[in-house]
Amino acid sequence: MSPQLSTGAVRVGLVGAGVSGLVFAKSLQESFPAGHVSLTVFEWGRGPGGRTARRRAQTEDGAALAFDHAAPYFTLDPNPLAGSS
């Protein structure tokens, strides 16, 4: 199977619709002229968001509620290799 479509567009499959995957998808779309990349995002969950996802549920009495069930925060380490031997 060729990685290019008959239109000349390169086919790209992206696994994961978390924060990093969505930022990459957006960057890829902005980096190439329209029609040059055919992007498909594959996500295991019911929707995008990854570790920032929100869950919806219904209580026994029928009331709807939504809550964040993932990582409460994340940090970026400017020097991830510091201190490693």
Side-chain angles (χ1 to χ4, degrees), residues 2 7 19 23-24 26-27 31 37 42 49 52 56 64-65 70 84-85:
S2 171
T7 61
V19 173
V23 168
F24 176 77
K26 180 74 172 163
S27 297
S31 297
V37 175
F42 298 95
T52 61
R56 291 162 189 82
L65 54 97
S84 63
S85 44

Side-chain angles (χ1 to χ4, degrees), residues 3-42:
Q4 286 193 316
L5 300 172
S6 61
T7 61
V10 175
R11 294 170 33 160
V12 177
L14 176 64
V15 179
V19 173
S20 296
L22 295 175
V23 168
F24 176 77
K26 180 74 172 163
S27 297
L28 189 66
Q29 284 184 326
E30 292 174 349
S31 297
F32 293 93
H36 282 74
V37 175
S38 173
L39 177 64
T40 302
V41 178
F42 298 95

